[in-house]
Structures are given as structure tokens and as C-alpha cells.
Amino acid sequence: MLRLHNSIRPAFRSRRWAHNIPSFSHLNTVNEEDLAHFSSILAPTSILSTLPSISTPADDIAPYNVDWMGKYHGQANSVLRPRTTQQVSEIVKYCAQRKIGIVPQGGNTGLVGGGISLQKEIVLSLGAMNNVRSFDPVSGILVADAGCILQSLSEHIAPHNHIMPLDLGAKGSCQIGGNISTNAGGLRLLRYGSLHGTVLGLEVVLPDGTILDQLSTLRKDNTGYDLKQLFIGGEGTLGIVTGVSILTPPAPQATNNIFLALPHFDNVLPLFQIVKRQLGEIMSAFEYIDRTAYDMGLQHGLGPLLSADEAGGSQCFVLVETSGGNQDHDLEKLNNLLESLLTADEPLINTGVLSQSPTQFNSIWALREGLTECVQKEGKPYKYDVSVPLADFQKVVDAVRERMISKGLYGDHAISKVMGYGHVGDGNLHLNVIAKHGYRPELEAALEPFIYEIVADRKGSVSAEHGIGSMKRDALHYSKSDVSIDWMRKIKQVFDPLNIMNPGKVIP
Ligand code: FAD
Ligand code: 2HG
Ligand code: ZN
């Protein structure tokens, strides 16, 4: 019989857990008169609406009303696609007068339901604002419209030997404005830090339509409160980011990666210490994949990076990337690392592979980056993006699986897989719980607040990098004190007293 480990069982039951339905009685729904006004601001092709005067086909508006996972379904009857900051400002000014709720939407790849309207708020999509405003190859400072797709920005600066300071599996669809609004972490955070450090300036349309121009390109600017920080991770609740100034690092001269198979999860921590010590400044990523996630990846055509024999007997896997200045020097370090790991008296790894070509380098990354899409093919995912002490990563995953077993909810009829992967280097676990045949209230009730309580017991965070959105609004107090939430409310009130900007998101 499988039992919860005592060490991981939540110590308390929260009496505050409830999904509250936000009241939107203060807001008006978009009507024909509003559409007529929007038509005076925007070109006809920039307005989509199910109302008779526009009659956009349902299929064309549907993608704006459902999130990437198919978990959150919106009810917006109209979508606006402005091309300029001035247009955004005029739209917002009008919405403030008319008390129409606005949901800013970027690439719609968010994983917490933040970019989907909850009732009938209008969707303001930034996708048509996609110009690079300037790039200085000497300083590496890029200024761009918020709707630029992350990958296209990478491609724009690549010929100048620079890279974006963030990289994520959604790079082909997510927008820099969405990245900033969610304070996305991703695969390069270990090396280049968070957007709170790399974003130098923002242009934001505030909830009354005022344009806040803080599009600074200064590295140093200590002139009072740094307002832009509020919009980084603000999830569209304080304003609409329309322009971005961001510091991009020079492309590393040499990048390599290795993929390691570990006999046991307990080896991850000592391995992390050794890898950090031996690779020093060239280590740029340390990513974790548990056995369930690895096997799922293989089933969906990722890899194999190791033969079945080599991978057999391994409980988990680690991807290490180096980014340095000298290929020979970096390879020597990596080879020495692998040799010392494999010849140790009590080896921490079963085996490992070092990529020998750009193709192999990419296929090692493809396994890690492709997991989110594989999960999606397996069923409907409940995603918990948590910060917990590294030593607890696997215990948390096991505890959740055991809970579902104990409730009779584990198996193809309900939860078919529970797995963990993520950014070990950042203490960020992606716990994915797959409902094979779709979302069901009793599955969610078994998972929440159970998981949030485990996280709170460990003084972790219920959102390491994906944000709060509507999914975790009522779980915010597991990671933030009442005093913090109170001050968040006060800040929201200062910026958005009418509560029109992404209402019902983030703030409980
Ligand atoms: P959307 O999903 O459109 O919006 C997200 C939130 O930001 C919403 O609340 C929305 O209202 C707001 N918003 C969007 N644009 C603006 C704007 N211009 N102004 C104000 N508010 C705005 N996240 C990570 O942190 N790390 C990862 O490694 C990672 N990998 C991912 C991999 C995949 C395959 C997928 C599908 C998602 C991944 N994510 C990851 C989730 C991540 O949050 C998003 O991919 C990304 O940052 C959101 O950008 P977006 O343009 O799609 O924003
Ligand atoms: C990642 O790190 C993303 O791959 C997505 O943050 C995480 O699929 C997930 O849960
Ligand atoms: Zn992640």
C-alpha cells in the first residue's frame, strides 16, 4: 500500500480555500455604439466582433477566447487589434469612460488563464504592434513594440551576434509584451537573470488612457521609484505594455550541452553542486526531467538520447548547458566533468552524452523544451509551477501521485500521469498532472488546495514563473502575506480605480 510520506503531508488544512467568482457588475458589455466608436479609431480589419454590424465568423474570434491548454474559455464578443500606442491610448480612454473591461492579450501562450476574458471584457490583442523600433549593436539595447514575437526578436538581433536574455518553448508564439507582463523565466534565467534586471524601460498605456513613457535605454537610472517594475509581472492588471527597451547579451562564442541519466533523485542535489563547482562561470542551464516525463517524451518522438539499456535503471535525467567564450576550453571542462562523474567511487550518474554537433545540441534541448507539448497531447494538464526546496522536488511529485491513488483517481479513467520537470538551477518545479479524458471538478478538488498547502508548508511559491492569472488568484495567500496582498490591492486601486484592466485576475 502506498502512503503519503509524513514529511510531505501538508501540516494544516486551510480554511480560506474557496474559488470566488468575481463580480463584474461595475462593467458594461461592448455594444454596437461602442463598435462605432472603435471604428473611428481603428481600421475595419482591426476589429473583430460577433455583433451584427461586424459579424466576424465564430471561428475567427474563437482563438482569442480559449487559452493554449484549452482550459480557460472566454466570452469576449469583440477583439481589437490596434497598430499604434496612440490607438491603444484612445481605446483605453474610451473604455474607461464607458466602464468596459479590457483583457490585454499577447501570443495567448500563458498557462494560468490570465489572457482570457472572464465575462464579456473586450480582448485587446497586441499582435499587430510588431515593429522593432531600434537596436544598438554596441550596447545590445533593443527597443521594440510589445507585440513582437520573441523568436522574431531573436532572429532580428542574431546577425549582430546578440541573443535575447530569455528563451522559452513558446518562443514562436509568445510576445515580448506578454513575456514582460508575466515576468517569464524560461531556460536562460540561470545565466541572464530575470526580466526585472534586463528590462531597461517600458512604454505603458495606463488604465485611464495616459501614455506612461519610460522607454529608457539607460543602464543606470536611480531617479526615485522604478515604476516599470510594477508592470513586469503585472499580468495586464495595471496597464497595457506597448513598448519595451531590453538589454540583450552578446551571443556566447561556444555553447554545448550534456544529458545525464541518474540512478536516483537524491543524486540531483550533489550533482548540481559538483557541476557548479567544476563548470563555474560557463554553466548556463541545469534542467531536470523525471522518469515519467522522459518516457512520455520518447513516446511522442523526442529522442531517444540514450539507448533503452543506457536509460534503464535511471530515475531521472539532467540537462546541463554551457555558454562560454572558447570551445576547446569549454569542451575540456565538460569532458573532465563527465569523466570524473563516471569514474567516481560512488557515481552520481549512470551514463551521460555530450552533444557533438549543432543537431545533437538541438535534439537534447528538444527533449526538454518539447515536454509541454507532449503533455498537451496526453490529455488535459493541471499545471503547478512551483518553487520548493530542491530536495523536495520528487517528494512533491510522489505525494501528489499517491494522493490521487489513495482517492481512486489514478489511472486511465482519471489522472493518467503525474510528472515533474523544470529548472533545478532556479528551484522551479513544473508539476504536471494529466487528466486523460479532460478536466473534472473532482480532480481539481483533490489537487487544490492540497498542492498549495504542500508548497506553503515549505515556504515555497505557488507561482515560480507562470504568474497568477485567474488560476491561482485565490491561492495567492499561500505565498503572500495579508499585508502584501493588501498593498497589492492599494496599488491596483491607485492605477485602476475603475477596475477595468484585466479584472478578476491576480488580486483575490
Ligand atoms: P499571453 O498569454 O497573451 O498573456 C499572458 C498575460 O500577460 C495575461 O495576463 C495578459 O493579459 C498579459 N499580457 C499579455 N500581453 C500584454 C501586454 N502587452 N501588456 C499587458 N499585459 C499583457 N513561461 C515561463 O515563464 N517559462 C517558460 O519556460 C515557459 N515555457 C512555455 C512553453 C510553452 C510551450 C507554453 C505554451 C508556455 C510557456 N510559458 C513559459 C508560459 C509563459 O507565461 C508564456 O509563454 C509567455 O510569457 C506569455 O506570453 P504571451 O505573449 O503568450 O502572453
Ligand atoms: C517549461 O519550463 C515551461 O518548459 C512550461 O515553463 C512548463 O509545461 C510546463 O508545465
Ligand atoms: Zn519553465
Side-chain angles (χ1 to χ4, degrees), residues 195-267:
L195 290 166
H196 281 294
T198 50
V199 172
L200 300 179
L202 292 179
E203 175 190 82
V204 182
V205 172
L206 299 173
D208 65 356
T210 308
I211 300 172
L212 175 71
D213 182 352
Q214 293 208 333
L215 215 44
S216 163
T217 52
L218 303 173
R219 290 290 299 271
K220 298 181 85 172
D221 179 12
N222 242 352
T223 48
Y225 303 144
D226 189 0
L227 294 179
K228 73 170 181 291
Q229 299 297 350
L230 286 171
F231 304 96
I232 303 174
E235 299 186 54
T237 59
L238 299 178
I240 300 175
V241 176
T242 49
V244 173
S245 160
I246 189 164
L247 185 63
T248 70
Q253 297 301 301
T255 46
N256 296 284
N257 58 12
I258 53 177
F259 192 74
L260 307 173
L262 282 64
H264 197 271
F265 176 79
D266 290 345
N267 296 6

Side-chain angles (χ1 to χ4, degrees), residues 111 187 287 368-369 371-372 375 383 421-423 430-432 465-466:
L111 299 173
L187 308 163
E287 295 283 317
R368 168 64 189 86
E369 280 189 84
L371 292 174
T372 306
V375 162
K383 283 183 179 289
Y421 48 90
H423 317 288
H430 291 308
L431 165 63
N432 273 259
E465 60 172 7
H466 295 164

Side-chain angles (χ1 to χ4, degrees), residues 68 104 106-110 114 175 179 181-182 184-186 235-236 241 465-466 502:
W68 191 85
N108 199 11
T109 65
Q175 300 172 5
N179 298 147
S181 303
T182 55
E235 299 186 54
V241 176
E465 60 172 7
H466 295 164
N502 218 357

Side-chain angles (χ1 to χ4, degrees), residues 92-121:
V92 174
K93 234 174 241 165
Y94 178 81
C95 288
Q97 274 164 24
R98 268 274 297 138
K99 297 203 177 61
I100 292 171
I102 304 171
V103 179
Q105 195 178 88
N108 199 11
T109 65
L111 299 173
V112 291
I116 298 296
S117 83
L118 292 176
Q119 291 178 21
K120 288 201 172 161
E121 314 89 277

